[in-house]
Amino acid sequence: QRVAADAAAARLQTAFRRWNSGPLPLHILRSAAVQLQRFWRVHRSRQLLLEYTARLWWRLAEGALRLDFAAKCLQRRFRAHKLRSWWLQARKDARRIQASWRGKCCRRELLRSRQAAHRLQLWIRRRFKKFTILRSLPRLIRAWHQGATRVQSRWRGIQVRRIYTGELCRLRRIRERRKIVLRKAQLLEVRRRSLSPHSGSGSLKQRAAAAAAAAAVE
């Protein structure tokens, strides 16, 4: 383009010098005008071609840029979506891990608290049991003493009842023997009186009573 512009400038200068040097013939002026028109048309067509080519390339470049921008936007959105999905999954997993760890720590602390409370309750129960035993020791001693006293009194009562029962049986036997002896003595006295000549025959009723008493004694 620069070489063509320099040639055209040289032709213009040559034509101007010829025209300035004096009047030129008509056919020379006509050929010069035709050449100028041809040059201008070629130059104009080149400019239009360059403009059309530039516009075409600009449209193609704009479409390519739009496609590239769209592709970059899609890639960026896809990467962002993938990264966000990964981040959400990681946050969910982290929350689960944290929740499981916190639950484990809470269960461990709760177990320790329960064990400590159980130990404290055992210690308090032992102390309270000792205190209760010490407080109820006089009552227990009193109850034991009363129980021993009751056992001793029962045993003594059993021994006394045994002795009394034996003595009572012996006394009853003695009384029965005494009654038997008295009855025999009465019977003998009755017989003696009945057989005695001085006593008389007696009534029939007295004789029957004496016979009944003798049969009862026998």
Side-chain angles (χ1 to χ4, degrees):
Q1 293 179 1
R2 189 172 182 180
V3 174
D6 291 338
R11 288 177 183 178
L12 284 173
Q13 289 175 4
T14 304
F16 181 76
R17 285 169 187 165
R18 288 178 182 177
W19 178 77
N20 194 16
S21 64
L24 297 174
L26 183 61
H27 65 280
I28 295 173
L29 293 175
R30 186 178 179 181
S31 62
V34 171
Q35 288 181 0
L36 286 173
Q37 290 174 0
R38 187 182 298 167
F39 171 75
W40 174 252
R41 287 170 184 168
V42 170
H43 180 69
R44 183 63 180 169
S45 63
R46 286 180 179 175
Q47 286 183 353
L48 291 174
L49 181 62
L50 291 173
E51 289 179 0
Y52 179 75
T53 306
R55 288 178 183 176
L56 182 61
W57 279 107
W58 173 252
R59 288 178 182 176
L60 292 174
E62 187 178 4
L65 289 174
R66 287 182 179 177
L67 290 175
D68 184 65
F69 182 74
K72 287 181 179 179
C73 287
L74 288 174
Q75 291 176 0
R76 186 170 59 250
R77 294 291 179 85
F78 179 73
R79 290 169 185 168
H81 176 71
K82 189 175 181 180
L83 184 62
R84 182 171 178 79
S85 299
W86 177 82
W87 181 75
L88 291 174
Q89 188 67 28
R91 186 176 66 176
K92 188 182 295 184
D93 296 338
R95 287 181 177 176
R96 288 180 181 176
I97 293 171
Q98 291 176 356
S100 62
W101 178 254
R102 289 171 184 169
K104 183 178 180 180
C105 292
C106 290
R107 286 190 293 272
R108 187 184 299 171
E109 293 295 330
L110 181 62
L111 182 61
R112 289 179 181 176
S113 301
R114 285 183 177 177
Q115 289 178 357
H118 185 64
R119 290 176 183 175
L120 184 60
Q121 289 176 359
L122 287 176
W123 183 79
I124 291 174
R125 287 171 184 172
R126 289 175 183 174
R127 292 291 181 180
F128 184 74
K129 188 179 292 184
K130 290 181 180 180
F131 179 73
T132 306
I133 291 172
L134 290 175
R135 188 175 64 180
S136 61
L137 187 61
R139 186 175 59 188
L140 292 174
I141 293 172
R142 194 180 305 113
W144 292 343
H145 181 69
Q146 291 178 359
T149 304
R150 288 178 182 176
V151 171
Q152 290 175 0
S153 62
R154 293 289 178 84
W155 179 250
R156 289 170 184 170
I158 290 170
Q159 295 293 331
V160 169
R161 279 193 294 274
R162 285 180 181 177
I163 296 171
Y164 177 74
T165 304
E167 294 292 332
L168 185 62
C169 291
R170 189 170 62 83
L171 291 174
R172 285 178 179 176
R173 286 196 297 270
I174 292 171
R175 287 179 181 178
E176 290 177 357
R177 289 176 182 176
R178 186 179 295 177
K179 287 180 179 179
I180 291 170
V181 170
L182 289 176
R183 287 179 181 177
K184 286 182 177 181
Q186 290 178 0
L187 182 59
L188 291 174
E189 182 69 23
V190 169
R191 285 182 179 181
R192 186 179 64 80
R193 286 181 181 179
S194 63
L195 295 175
S196 175
H198 300 285
S199 60
S201 61
S203 64
L204 294 174
K205 291 183 178 181
Q206 290 179 354
R207 291 179 181 180
V217 171
E218 292 178 358

